[in-house]
Amino acid sequence: MSSTMEPLKARRLYLLLREQILRGEVAVDARLPSEPALAQEHSVSRVTVRRALDKLASDGMIERRPGSGTFVSAGKTSMPVVADLSNVLTHLVEMGRKTGVRLISFAYVNATPAMAEELRLDPGERLQRSVRVRLIDGQPFSYLVTHVPERIGMSYSEADLASTPLLELLERSGLVAERATQVVGATLAGPEAADALDLDIGAALLTMTRVVFESSGRGIEHLQALYRPDRYSFHMDLERTGSDGARRWTPADAVRASEQINDTKKNNRTKRPTPQRRTKP
Amino acid sequence: MSSTMEPLKARRLYLLLREQILRGEVAVDARLPSEPALAQEHSVSRVTVRRALDKLASDGMIERRPGSGTFVSAGKTSMPVVADLSNVLTHLVEMGRKTGVRLISFAYVNATPAMAEELRLDPGERLQRSVRVRLIDGQPFSYLVTHVPERIGMSYSEADLASTPLLELLERSGLVAERATQVVGATLAGPEAADALDLDIGAALLTMTRVVFESSGRGIEHLQALYRPDRYSFHMDLERTGSDGARRWTPADAVRASEQINDTKKNNRTKRPTPQRRTKP
DNA sequence: TTTAGTTGTCTTATAAAGAATACAGATTTG
DNA sequence: CAAATCTGTATTCTTTATAAGACAACTAAA
């Protein structure tokens, strides 16, 4: 499965150092080993060490002080925007952040066999395919490829897509979403996604595939989402519920959800049911 | 953020083709463009195309038939083991699969500032650090780095770790886990993880960071998990609950959980509440 | 001030990746 | 069978990555 086609040594070292910094194995503001030391430690030349450090510096993870050393930067080591498992961005309003959507492409295509099966449709059925990029504070954080059956897609315009969440559009047109499955994984950035998300090809991406079904069991939306993990991640709070042998973990979101059903108006944004990671002041 | 230190051209092409195949843009059993055609299409030499295809072939994604062409393989395009959002592996028993654990390292270390903060402990406190690899059918699928406060870690042995889930060990020693937070993201494989998971350095990994708290609010476990996305992914079923303006998505697991609280004995393994992706017969 | 250690920059040499081309053997099609 | 097309393999050349070393400029500490 593995071996052959080695990534460049500089890339390897870059990934290694990056990992150590992100995991906190090297403290913030601490000095890294000197370039000659790193070169000897990893059995590479100083040029290679230098390339790795260049990359880290351009990522804003380290700061180089000539004559003194290179140090781990405080700022950039942390904290993407988080979403709960229902894919709802949290703490956005209160942080005064603004999101936007860019429509990359929009077309009608024939369903591939795989796509038809996932949506439980007839193979070859026409689908509306749209590619969008979501932005936060002007910076892209997600790359979304959506497939919707043609007849359903007709109920809204191309312009609607660039301004309104797709699920809202679907429900507005009378459809009733009943169930959805989501699968979360990881993949490497290909050329298109890398370009749209302002990343290097081969960067790590968080993926989510969601299929939404109406009550009849037919799929009404297929979403393939790619997220920049440094700007977006999934967050879930779990509570230990039940007693004795039947104790198990329950997502706290579910609790909050049932609380909110009889509470349409006041949205409790002061809740903090579980400790959050925070950056130091 | 991007540019400089280009990955190799062969790697780029590999990722591009891989992406197209995984997304179903190229049908299963279909023939890929010929090597000269791919070379011209992407403005690279045939040697480079060849390297990319070699990698795809070793991944089992394509099959090369001399004189005929290269074709997309049916088998390997799909389906890792799935876990629900409580991190419980599903469909394992019924599939007759066996899991195992390999203990990689075991030591006591000083808490880094970042780790201490996440666990809400005093900085510098002693922690038990263990690194484990979980296997399914003899193949590694997750790389787990766990930190537990020293006094708690004393309650079980090194051998226990290799055989029993950590959370069970903790509760067995009288601790009461009350809350947990989980953050799911993605990262690139570093040298250690790549080696343990039998992957190339720079491969995409699914990450989960979990912190478990007891009722006093102090952390009792910090877990950093790295998963091979081709062998493991998170799955969640959502249901549209509530009415009118208060409709929202609720994880179906929560429903199942509350059903099971009064149902200790019979574990309903026949449930299939939501359509699953499946491979063709 | 001196000294040791650091990053920044350059040179030269070797190793590896990629480009361009040619040709043998297998497969399909006319 | 013959022609066209494909993969497998080899050769040669160019470009890029890496190695090894030298030296200047800067910093901090003795």
Side-chain angles (χ1 to χ4, degrees):
Chain A
M1 183 91 198
S2 57
S3 73
T4 59
M5 198 168 85
E6 302 270 317
L8 308 180
K9 294 190 182 180
R11 182 181 175 83
R12 282 210 235 176
L13 183 54
Y14 160 70
L15 290 173
L16 172 59
L17 295 174
R18 179 176 173 276
E19 183 176 290
Q20 292 179 347
I21 293 174
L22 288 177
R23 291 201 192 173
E25 295 176 25
V26 186
V28 166
D29 281 335
R31 210 197 71 189
L32 288 177
S34 71
E35 294 177 358
L38 284 172
Q40 184 176 6
E41 182 181 348
H42 298 93
S43 306
V44 296
S45 74
R46 213 187 125 202
V47 204
T48 309
V49 171
R50 210 123 223 302
R51 267 204 274 270
L53 294 181
D54 286 345
K55 180 75 173 158
L56 286 171
S58 81
D59 285 355
M61 297 183 63
I62 61 172
E63 185 187 350
R64 310 173 97 167
R65 294 204 267 272
S68 180
T70 84
F71 300 82
V72 178
S73 303
K76 292 297 295 286
T77 53
S78 53
M79 285 312 84
V81 170
V82 299
D84 64 25
L85 50 86
S86 301
N87 202 23
V88 176
L89 296 176
T90 55
H91 306 145
L92 271 190
V93 182
E94 53 219 79
M95 293 168 81
R97 305 243 240 162
K98 288 169 190 169
T99 64
V101 178
R102 234 171 46 212
L103 185 60
I104 301 288
S105 83
F106 184 87
Y108 288 86
V109 299
N110 291 321
T112 62
M115 185 65 65
E117 188 191 339
E118 290 206 64
L119 278 168
R120 307 210 170 287
L121 301 175
D122 298 326
E125 188 164 341
R126 297 287 288 176
L127 298 177
Q128 178 197 84
R129 178 190 139 108
S130 59
V131 180
R132 292 168 297 162
V133 172
R134 295 195 64 187
L135 315 167
I136 182 164
D137 298 334
Q139 295 200 304
F141 71 94
S142 74
Y143 178 83
L144 312 172
V145 180
T146 315
H147 290 261
V148 170
E150 183 176 43
R151 54 193 155 74
I152 299 175
M154 292 300 192
S155 65
Y156 53 83
S157 73
E158 195 171 332
D160 290 335
L161 252 187
S163 63
T164 315
L166 181 51
L167 272 178
E168 189 175 323
L169 289 176
L170 294 181
E171 299 210 327
R172 196 182 283 175
S173 73
L175 283 168
V176 182
E178 276 297 324
R179 303 190 304 282
T181 67
Q182 293 187 169
V183 177
V184 173
T187 191
L188 295 172
E192 302 128 90
D195 184 59
L197 293 175
D198 192 23
L199 283 172
D200 291 328
I201 291 177
L205 294 180
L206 182 60
T207 70
M208 185 197 62
T209 306
R210 178 174 65 203
V211 187
V212 181
F213 298 91
E214 60 171 347
S215 52
S216 73
R218 311 224 304 184
I220 57 179
E221 183 208 28
H222 182 286
L223 169 67
Q224 172 67 255
L226 303 178
Y227 300 100
R228 272 187 70 145
D230 59 336
R231 294 184 182 160
Y232 188 93
S233 63
F234 288 102
H235 183 277
M236 54 193 92
D237 295 322
L238 299 176
E239 294 175 354
R240 198 68 167 164
T241 55
S243 52
D244 296 335
R247 288 176 65 80
R248 62 164 284 161
W249 293 102
T250 305
D253 298 275
V255 181
R256 275 188 269 158
S258 49
E259 282 171 355
Q260 287 181 348
I261 288 179
N262 296 326
D263 185 4
T264 325
K265 282 281 191 258
K266 79 174 176 216
N267 43 355
N268 45 348
R269 52 169 76 164
T270 52
K271 63 176 159 28
R272 173 85 54 96
T274 314
Q276 300 277 39
R277 232 193 300 179
R278 21 151 228 234
T279 51
K280 288 184 180 176
Chain B
M1 183 95 196
S2 57
S3 72
T4 57
M5 197 168 84
E6 303 270 316
L8 308 179
K9 293 192 182 179
R11 182 180 175 83
R12 283 209 234 177
L13 183 55
Y14 160 69
L15 290 172
L16 171 60
L17 295 174
R18 180 175 172 277
E19 184 176 291
Q20 292 180 346
I21 292 173
L22 287 178
R23 291 200 193 173
E25 295 175 24
V26 186
V28 166
D29 281 334
R31 212 197 70 189
L32 288 178
S34 72
E35 295 178 357
L38 284 172
Q40 184 176 7
E41 183 181 347
H42 299 94
S43 306
V44 294
S45 74
R46 213 188 125 201
V47 202
T48 309
V49 171
R50 211 125 220 301
R51 266 202 272 271
L53 294 182
D54 286 344
K55 179 75 174 159
L56 285 172
S58 81
D59 285 355
M61 298 182 63
I62 62 172
E63 186 186 350
R64 311 173 97 168
R65 295 205 266 272
S68 180
T70 84
F71 301 81
V72 178
S73 304
K76 290 297 295 285
T77 53
S78 52
M79 285 315 84
V81 170
V82 299
D84 65 24
L85 50 85
S86 301
N87 201 24
V88 176
L89 296 177
T90 54
H91 305 146
L92 272 190
V93 182
E94 55 218 79
M95 294 167 79
R97 305 243 240 162
K98 287 168 190 170
T99 64
V101 178
R102 234 172 46 213
L103 185 59
I104 302 287
S105 82
F106 183 87
Y108 288 86
V109 300
N110 291 320
T112 63
M115 186 64 68
E117 188 191 339
E118 291 206 65
L119 278 169
R120 307 210 169 287
L121 301 175
D122 299 326
E125 188 164 341
R126 298 286 290 176
L127 298 177
Q128 178 197 84
R129 178 190 137 107
S130 60
V131 181
R132 291 169 296 163
V133 172
R134 295 196 63 187
L135 314 167
I136 182 165
D137 298 333
Q139 296 200 301
F141 71 93
S142 72
Y143 178 84
L144 311 172
V145 180
T146 314
H147 289 262
V148 170
E150 183 176 42
R151 55 192 155 75
I152 299 176
M154 293 300 191
S155 66
Y156 53 85
S157 73
E158 194 170 332
D160 290 335
L161 252 187
S163 64
T164 314
L166 181 51
L167 272 178
E168 189 175 323
L169 289 177
L170 294 181
E171 299 209 327
R172 194 181 286 175
S173 72
L175 282 169
V176 182
E178 275 297 325
R179 302 190 305 282
T181 67
Q182 293 188 168
V183 177
V184 174
T187 192
L188 295 172
E192 303 127 271
D195 183 58
L197 293 175
D198 192 23
L199 282 172
D200 290 328
I201 291 177
L205 294 179
L206 181 61
T207 70
M208 186 197 60
T209 306
R210 178 174 65 201
V211 187
V212 181
F213 299 90
E214 60 171 347
S215 53
S216 73
R218 312 223 305 184
I220 57 178
E221 184 208 26
H222 182 286
L223 169 67
Q224 172 67 255
L226 303 178
Y227 299 101
R228 272 188 69 145
D230 60 335
R231 294 185 182 159
Y232 188 93
S233 64
F234 288 102
H235 183 277
M236 54 194 90
D237 296 321
L238 300 175
E239 293 176 353
R240 197 68 165 163
T241 56
S243 53
D244 296 337
R247 287 176 66 80
R248 61 165 282 160
W249 293 102
T250 304
D253 296 276
V255 181
R256 275 187 270 159
S258 50
E259 282 170 356
Q260 288 181 345
I261 287 179
N262 296 327
D263 185 4
T264 326
K265 282 282 192 253
K266 79 174 177 214
N267 43 354
N268 45 347
R269 48 170 77 162
T270 52
K271 65 175 157 29
R272 174 85 53 94
T274 315
Q276 301 276 40
R277 233 194 296 180
R278 24 150 228 231
T279 53
K280 289 184 180 177

